[in-house]
Amino acid sequence: MTEKSDVIIVNLRCEYLIDPIGIDVIKPRLSWTLRSKLRGQSQTAYRVLVASSLQKLDDARRRDGCLWDSGRVISDQSIHVEYGGAPLGSGLRCFWKVMVWDKDGNESSWSDAARFEMGLLDAQDWQGDWIGAPAANSGEAPPAPHFRKELVLAGPVKAARATICGLGYYELSINGHRVGDHVLDPAFTRYDRRALYVTHDVTSLLKQGANAVGVILGNGIYNQSSRDAWNFESSPWRDTPRLLFQAEIEYEDGTTTTLASDGTWNTARGPITFNGTRNGEFYDARREMPGWDDAGFDDAGWAPVHVVNGPGGLLKAQMMPPIKVTETIAPVSVREVADGAYVFDLGRNIAGWAQLRVSGPAGTEVTMRYGEKLDDGGRLDQSESAHLVYDGEFQTDRYTLKGDGEEVFEPHFAYHGFQYVEVTGFPGRPTVESLRGRVVHTAFEPAGSFECSNDLLNQIQTCTLSSYVGNFHGYPTDCPQREKNGWTGDALLAAETGLYNYHAQTGYVKWLDDIGDEQQEGGELPGIVPTSGWGYEWGNGPCWDSAYILIPWHLYLYKGDTAILEAHYEGMKRYVDYLTGKTFLDLVSLGLGDWVPPFGLPSDYTAPLTLLASSYYYVDADTVSKIAAILGKNADARKYSRLAAKIRKAFNRYLYDRTSGFYTNGSQTAQATALFQGLVQPRQRRKVLRRLIAEIRQFKWRMNVGIHGAKFVMNA
């Protein structure tokens, strides 16, 4: 009789996610982790069962009751096992479990059951209309519209799912209760090419009898009214906020009903009088409508909604962790810096917003301005961060009191980057208890932790993690205050940090789709993604655009993901071919280089642009060759391998001095680039490295590099 294996199967995931609801991958990939007390234990085979109910899943002997029984598969693969069963339809709920055979051929016990649920896979699955508030001028940022709809349910509810796309942002409530803990949903995309929907389990919020659904919409970057340096106010997708909603409700007796957005919904303006992603939010509590999202509310003064056009892009599931409030921190101090002006110091920089607690007369207006710097007099100084936003107040929230005891406010549809909050108009004298910092970002799970005996290294790690998550709000950004832009070079250089420290892969899967949506027919890419159209003429180039090739490669190296390589392979090839059309002597000199060095202007690169750009051109060609080989595209693999060799030869012929051991100017970035990017001939590596060390020593062991050199020098 075979022994039972001691292997325990845990951490079951579908498309990187734990028990996801509303996915739209028609052949989802399943993963699991093995645990054993025995050293060297391993998996030699597996069996996966997927069923449409827990009851069917539990009866493992009846294969005909399953959507998929993989049978015994001889394989050590425990990640990205592709579902291979019956076709999965919209809204289908799937339950799955796995067992394995260990290195000695012994069977494990079955894992606990996990689940995944399909979203709305086809356009015809959506039964509702896009709706919006009437009489809104598309050139303005209107007050946040409220939408409501009542419905009567004929019996007890067994299960209910609400699927919503609310642009630019939405908050959903049912029967007076906020649905979920997401904020700033859905994530920013190129809306006229792709918009994301989110599915919520709302079973516990619905009841037999009268019910009400309420939605508030924010502008987000979908309807940005303030002019900025990147022209988002002129985005091709720009329009007033709009909503697409659908709830599928199953009664205990097995019958179903659907509630969808249509012309029978009503709308009104509420207390959010203004909201802008780069500006802030103004909230007048006197305009609140208690009970507006509950059944029985008198909405006689509300207007019928308008049925409107959608944004025009594909509707896709948001298959990544949501943005959440992940931490609440108390200020370390508050002090009066001028008559009636108080500065709260959180003690560290965060991305998010302030939560205000205040009591006072109705009509009192409290203003909160956010920033990272104080002037010599201790007042907030936004001068270095506000100058690229041309209209409206920058990083400023306003709250008008209703005069009803202690009031608590935090914004709904804007976030800021800050350490300091300057508060004016506060009735009385605030204390540190009057304000809290709310840390907000995409809620990636930690992938591990690092701590050592050196306090400085621990502090660097803490700052690194804070900087990384503070710059991920549905897409990777350069900064959470001045720009909030998805600069491709910044994202590229931070990607490995993210993948070491967090389960951030789903965020990159989403953002790579955004990059693909922005690529032009000729292969060109913009410097920021998503973009309104800005960034194709300036701000890009191989040092930035290579994110489209190297981040998928990182996902393969770190996570074994070949699907991401397949999904973007043609776009990667198109980009390398685009660069080939821009060469001179088989090198390229295009776009931004080693940006923001410590001395001089941002464009005063610490190494020539040709060296940096050509090094990325080489790495891109070499990486596409490797990807082609992995995908079985052997002719392409040979083609791009030859191209990479050609670039490497030209790089060393024109940019390297064998006598001195210098690449171009011999700077830290120049030497490190050649080493790190794999361009130095083996016999020359020792000499090039010696020159790098000499250059660092000459600079008294300080780094004299820009954004790329900062990574290359340390690794080289």
Side-chain angles (χ1 to χ4, degrees), residues 441-667:
H441 55 79
T442 298
F444 294 128
E445 299 171 71
S449 60
F450 169 82
E451 188 176 7
C452 69
S453 60
N454 186 296
D455 287 340
L456 176 60
L457 291 181
N458 292 335
Q459 290 173 34
I460 291 172
Q461 172 71 353
T462 297
C463 291
T464 297
L465 299 184
S466 178
S467 179
Y468 180 78
V469 295
N471 275 298
F472 221 115
H473 290 79
Y475 63 110
T477 63
D478 61 325
C479 56
Q481 72 304 82
R482 185 174 79 159
E483 299 192 27
K484 298 181 172 73
N485 280 324
W487 281 97
T488 51
D490 303 54
L492 167 60
L493 293 167
E496 289 187 276
T497 294
L499 293 171
Y500 266 124
N501 289 285
Y502 294 98
H503 291 295
Q505 50 271 25
T506 51
Y508 290 116
V509 170
K510 175 266 180 190
W511 190 61
L512 288 164
D513 284 339
D514 294 335
I515 298 179
D517 288 342
E518 299 288 11
Q519 187 176 36
Q520 295 185 347
E521 189 174 339
E524 299 95 325
L525 292 167
I528 60 172
V529 173
T531 179
S532 65
W534 185 94
Y536 291 97
E537 301 298 326
W538 188 90
N540 52 356
C543 305
W544 263 247
D545 307 337
S546 296
Y548 192 37
I549 293 171
L550 298 183
I551 292 180
W553 183 242
H554 293 329
L555 288 173
Y556 170 73
L557 293 179
Y558 285 77
K559 305 297 178 181
D561 193 340
T562 56
I564 197 72
L565 305 180
E566 184 77 54
H568 295 283
Y569 178 69
E570 292 301 324
M572 297 180 200
K573 281 202 312 177
R574 193 158 56 246
Y575 180 69
V576 173
D577 293 346
Y578 159 74
L579 289 183
T580 300
K582 299 288 185 180
T583 59
F584 176 72
L585 299 176
D586 295 322
L587 302 176
V588 293
S589 185
L590 183 68
L592 300 182
D594 201 24
W595 191 245
V596 290
F599 307 102
L601 299 173
S603 55
D604 293 332
Y605 303 140
T606 54
L609 175 59
T610 301
L611 180 137
L612 258 296
S614 297
S615 79
Y616 274 107
Y617 177 35
Y618 163 76
V619 170
D620 289 348
D622 184 57
T623 303
V624 169
S625 173
K626 293 173 182 174
I627 292 170
I630 291 166
L631 299 179
K633 303 176 185 295
N634 297 326
D636 279 351
R638 291 189 295 271
K639 171 186 172 181
Y640 290 102
S641 177
R642 289 193 297 267
L643 175 60
K646 188 178 178 183
I647 299 165
R648 192 173 193 234
K649 182 177 180 180
F651 189 92
N652 285 288
R653 178 179 180 183
Y654 296 113
L655 303 179
Y656 181 58
D657 184 332
R658 283 177 171 268
T659 303
S660 66
F662 285 163
Y663 278 90
T664 60
N665 60 1
S667 66

Side-chain angles (χ1 to χ4, degrees), residues 7 27 33 43 103 115 135 168 196 202 220 245 278 390 406 429 488 494 569 592 603 666 682 693:
V7 167
K27 291 185 177 181
T33 301
Q43 169 188 306
K103 66 182 178 64
R115 65 189 297 169
L196 303 181
V202 295
F245 175 89
R278 291 181 170 84
Y390 305 143
E406 184 179 68
R429 189 178 186 89
T488 51
Y569 178 69
L592 300 182
S603 55
I693 295 169

Side-chain angles (χ1 to χ4, degrees), residues 27 43 48 66 101 113 136 293 307 523 574 672:
K27 291 185 177 181
Q43 169 188 306
V48 175
C66 287
W101 286 259
D293 52 357
V307 174
R574 193 158 56 246

Side-chain angles (χ1 to χ4, degrees), residues 235-448:
S235 300
W237 61 73
R238 187 178 170 204
D239 217 325
T240 51
R242 52 210 53 218
L243 167 68
L244 183 64
F245 175 89
Q246 186 163 313
E248 302 286 350
I249 303 160
E250 181 184 359
Y251 294 114
E252 290 284 2
D253 65 5
T255 60
T256 62
T257 188
T258 300
L259 172 68
S261 50
D262 59 21
T264 65
W265 289 50
N266 291 327
T267 183
R269 294 183 173 185
I272 303 173
T273 59
F274 171 81
N275 64 96
T277 305
R278 291 181 170 84
N279 303 115
E281 182 169 302
F282 302 167
Y283 189 100
D284 187 344
R286 297 170 301 179
R287 298 177 58 91
E288 290 178 344
M289 302 170 288
W292 72 273
D293 52 357
D294 215 340
F297 175 78
D298 181 6
D299 62 1
W302 288 42
V305 299
H306 282 186
V307 174
V308 296
N309 293 325
L314 294 172
L315 277 169
K316 301 294 290 181
Q318 181 169 287
M319 291 175 51
M320 60 184 294
I323 302 170
K324 292 185 179 183
V325 176
T326 61
E327 187 182 358
T328 300
I329 60 176
V332 297
S333 67
V334 57
R335 61 192 183 96
E336 190 170 13
V337 295
D339 188 21
Y342 301 87
V343 168
F344 290 82
D345 180 359
L346 295 182
R348 61 184 171 100
N349 274 326
I350 68 169
W353 52 71
Q355 182 190 72
L356 178 71
R357 292 183 178 273
V358 60
S359 301
T364 303
E365 184 179 83
V366 181
T367 299
M368 293 178 288
R369 296 172 60 242
Y370 300 78
E372 299 173 307
K373 183 180 177 182
L374 302 178
D375 65 18
D376 293 340
R379 299 292 300 266
L380 191 77
D381 181 359
Q382 295 181 332
S383 59
E384 292 183 1
S385 56
H387 66 281
L388 296 177
V389 178
Y390 305 143
D391 290 333
E393 297 178 74
F394 178 76
Q395 291 210 143
T396 300
D397 297 332
R398 295 184 182 276
Y399 179 72
T400 303
L401 279 69
K402 59 188 172 185
D404 184 18
E406 184 179 68
E407 303 176 39
V408 180
F409 164 74
E410 53 189 290
H412 303 70
F413 300 128
Y415 77 94
H416 313 293
F418 65 102
Q419 176 175 335
Y420 305 103
V421 186
E422 183 175 291
V423 176
T424 55
F426 192 95
R429 189 178 186 89
T431 70
V432 290
E433 300 302 320
S434 302
L435 186 140
R436 290 290 181 265
R438 302 277 268 172
V439 181
V440 178
H441 55 79
T442 298
F444 294 128
E445 299 171 71

Side-chain angles (χ1 to χ4, degrees), residues 493 593-598 605-607 669 703-711:
L493 293 167
D594 201 24
W595 191 245
V596 290
Y605 303 140
T606 54
T669 293
M703 294 179 71
N704 180 27
V705 298
I707 185 172
H708 296 277
K711 178 175 182 176

Side-chain angles (χ1 to χ4, degrees), residues 125 156 208 233 290 350 366 519 698:
D125 294 326
Q208 183 174 353
E233 76 282 359
I350 68 169
V366 181
Q519 187 176 36
Q698 182 178 332

Side-chain angles (χ1 to χ4, degrees), residues 188 190-192 221-224 230-239 531-533:
F188 174 34
R190 173 69 189 256
Y191 298 109
D192 54 345
I221 302 181
Y222 180 69
N223 185 36
Q224 180 176 301
W230 314 280
N231 306 326
F232 280 107
E233 76 282 359
S234 303
S235 300
W237 61 73
R238 187 178 170 204
D239 217 325
T531 179
S532 65

